[in-house]
Amino acid sequence: MTVGTAAKPGHLDVLGRVTLALLVFDGFLCAVLSVLFLPAYLGATPFPISILAAAVANLALVIAARSTTGRVGTGVLPLAGWGFGFLLCMFGGPGGDVLLLASVWTLLLLFGSLVPAAVYLWKVSAKAAFGPVSPSVGEGTR
């Protein structure tokens, strides 16, 4: 049973909508914080721990959004919030300040944060579309 679903399948009650909105906002905050902590150093060595933290947080947000609604498609909404926050950080601020520089760390943050959650959604949608895989006739009976 899913938490935020109403009596009709596909419709959310008020608690489900508020939860989903908070998950999208959390995705936005995750993007901003991961960009701010991207240039972290451990001594003199770059230590971009925010890439791993953003990957784990995005995966958790996608799983929470999917379990709240019971639909695979709404799991993308926290990733959309993350993408909006990432794009917002790419724009220059007042005085020409830029948070994201043209470096390999920015590219790793983009792909490292989105790929685990996208793979999870792809596997769940494939499982929902094709159903569980059953063994063929001659397998599994020995």
Side-chain angles (χ1 to χ4, degrees):
M1 180 171 167
T2 57
V3 176
T5 57
K8 293 182 183 179
H11 292 348
L12 291 175
D13 57 358
V14 175
L15 179 63
R17 290 180 187 199
V18 169
T19 303
L20 193 58
L22 286 174
L23 290 171
V24 172
F25 182 69
D26 286 343
F28 174 80
L29 282 180
C30 177
V32 172
L33 290 175
S34 63
V35 166
L36 289 176
F37 284 103
L38 186 62
Y41 277 81
L42 188 61
T45 307
F47 191 65
I49 192 68
S50 66
I51 296 172
L52 179 64
V56 171
N58 278 342
L59 184 60
L61 290 172
V62 165
I63 291 171
R66 186 181 164 274
S67 67
T68 298
T69 61
R71 294 180 290 183
V72 177
T74 54
V76 177
L77 292 177
L79 293 181
W82 191 92
F84 179 71
F86 187 80
L87 286 175
L88 191 65
C89 289
M90 290 179 80
F91 292 121
D97 293 339
V98 179
L99 292 176
L100 284 172
L101 302 174
S103 72
V104 69
W105 298 116
T106 301
L107 192 62
L108 285 174
L109 176 65
L110 179 66
F111 288 119
S113 298
L114 296 179
V115 167
V119 167
Y120 169 77
L121 286 175
W122 177 70
K123 283 187 175 186
V124 169
S125 66
K127 190 175 188 180
F130 299 116
V133 177
S134 62
S136 60
V137 177
E139 296 178 10
T141 57
R142 295 180 192 163

